[in-house]
């Protein structure tokens, strides 16, 4: 009776990890021989692990990564795609996220840009950062609609709070004047404080011409390119290689 009451009290206090450990017969058998302080330390660690797991699950759910299974540990280094271990290792540590730096991934279709972006997004979530994946054309369309229903400012504020915004398929289609303005507003809220990861088939050097308005292009590129980590992926399409196999 006392045991059940303790479990209920732990759940009431939202100490679900400790409650699960206390209710687990397997863990209790080994812990029974330990001093009280060590048993308490094990219960506290189970609570910490429980909360870390739940937080990661929540972050990954809200991230909406296109390739949810992508992770840095699964990078195929045998494929010569222009990836450098030292850069990936540096990004895995998360300092770029802590300092609000950007990452720009360019390369031909199928070379693995989206997969790598999602792997970096998952690593960011593991480190406790909030993440959102979205295709750039879809986000710009969403912001255009938000002007009409009055939710534009609120949506910008939501995006500004994200630690990492992944913009996939950047510069894949011609851009309109209102989209240029919205893009500038979006990036201006994030510059220097939040990170943006961009994937594009166009090389960075071609983005200015794509934006097609010199003044706004300068402003946009200054906010996204300056101080960023750039990787130009190379090689044949991985999708074609997979289908051939």
């Amino acid at each position: 009776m006392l045991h059940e009451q303790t479990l209920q009290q732990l759940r009431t206090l939202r100490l679900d990890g400790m409650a699960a450990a206390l209710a687990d017969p397997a863990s209790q058998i080994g812990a029974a021989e330990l001093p009280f302080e060590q048993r308490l330390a094990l219960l506290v660690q189970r609570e910490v692990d429980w909360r870390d797991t739940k937080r990661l699950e929540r972050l990954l759910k809200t991230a909406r990564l296109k390739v949810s299974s992508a992770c840095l540990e699964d990078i195929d280094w045998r494929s010569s795609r222009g990836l450098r271990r030292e850069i990936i290792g540096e990004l895995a540590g998360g300092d770029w996220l802590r300092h609000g730096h950007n990452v720009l991934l360019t390369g031909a279709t199928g070379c693995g840009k989206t997969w790598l972006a999602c792997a970096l997004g998952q690593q960011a979530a593991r480190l406790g950062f909030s993440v959102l994946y979205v295709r750039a054309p879809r986000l710009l369309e969403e912001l255009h609609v938000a002007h009409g229903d009055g939710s534009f400012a609120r949506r910008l504020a939501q995006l500004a709070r994200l630690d990492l915004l992944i913009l996939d398929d950047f510069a894949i289609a011609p851009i309109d004047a209102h989209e240029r303005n919205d893009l500038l507003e979006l990036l201006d809220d994030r510059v220097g404080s939040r990170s943006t990861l961009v994937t594009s088939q166009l090389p960075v050097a071609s983005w200015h011409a794509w934006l097609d308005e010199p003044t706004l292009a300068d402003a946009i590129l200054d906010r996204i390119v300056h101080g960023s980590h750039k990787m130009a992926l190379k090689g044949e399409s991985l999708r074609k290689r997979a289908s051939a196999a």
Side-chain angles (χ1 to χ4, degrees):
M1 182 64 181
L2 182 59
H3 183 71
E4 290 300 322
Q5 183 180 2
T6 301
L7 288 175
Q8 184 58 45
Q9 289 174 331
L10 287 172
R11 295 188 182 105
T12 301
L13 293 170
R14 298 185 179 180
L15 298 173
D16 297 298
M18 294 180 71
L22 196 60
D24 183 5
S27 63
Q28 289 305 303
I29 292 174
E33 306 298 325
L34 298 175
F36 171 76
E37 291 81 0
Q38 292 186 28
R39 294 184 66 184
L40 178 61
L42 288 174
L43 288 173
V44 172
Q45 187 59 52
R46 281 289 293 271
E47 179 64 30
V48 171
D49 293 343
W50 176 279
R51 294 191 180 199
D52 286 345
T53 298
K54 289 300 180 181
R55 186 182 188 203
L56 177 58
E57 290 175 353
R58 183 174 67 254
L59 288 172
L60 289 176
K61 182 178 180 180
T62 57
R64 302 176 188 173
L65 298 175
K66 184 174 183 178
V67 188
S68 59
S69 61
C71 61
L72 296 180
E73 293 87 346
D74 290 341
I75 290 179
D76 183 2
W77 297 103
R78 297 171 298 177
S79 301
S80 179
R81 291 182 290 154
L83 289 176
R84 294 168 54 188
R85 290 180 184 268
E86 61 271 22
I87 294 180
I88 296 299
E90 179 182 352
L91 295 176
D95 278 347
W96 65 288
L97 295 160
R98 298 181 186 96
H99 298 299
H101 296 168
N102 301 325
V103 171
L104 312 179
L105 303 178
T106 58
T109 182
C111 68
K113 301 183 300 298
T114 298
W115 188 96
L116 182 56
C118 290
L120 288 169
Q122 184 179 117
Q123 180 65 15
R126 288 180 184 177
L127 295 172
F129 295 99
S130 57
V131 183
L132 177 66
Y133 166 93
V134 65
R135 293 184 65 251
R138 183 171 298 175
L139 179 59
L140 291 175
E141 176 61 26
E142 177 189 330
L143 293 177
H144 180 54
V145 172
H147 281 287
D149 63 20
S151 64
F152 180 75
R154 184 172 68 251
R155 184 55 176 151
L156 271 189
Q158 293 171 344
L159 293 169
R161 289 193 293 269
L162 288 167
D163 295 316
L164 175 60
L165 177 63
I166 300 175
L167 291 177
D168 198 12
D169 286 337
F170 184 77
I172 199 171
I175 189 169
D176 295 330
H178 67 83
E179 292 176 327
R180 282 194 296 266
N181 292 326
D182 290 348
L183 182 59
L184 178 58
E185 291 292 329
L186 171 68
L187 296 173
D188 190 60
D189 284 345
R190 304 182 56 78
V191 64
S193 60
R194 296 291 188 269
S195 297
T196 305
L197 191 159
V198 178
T199 78
S200 178
Q201 294 183 32
L202 279 183
V204 175
S206 300
W207 290 1
H208 196 283
W210 171 74
L211 287 163
D212 198 28
E213 207 292 320
T215 302
L216 280 177
D218 287 344
I220 289 170
L221 295 182
D222 179 66
R223 286 159 174 76
I224 199 170
V225 176
H226 179 71
S228 64
H229 302 266
K230 305 177 188 67
M231 282 186 283
L233 304 189
K234 305 172 184 178
E236 62 177 324
S237 170
L238 298 179
R239 286 193 285 269
K240 290 181 179 179
R241 186 185 306 176
S243 62

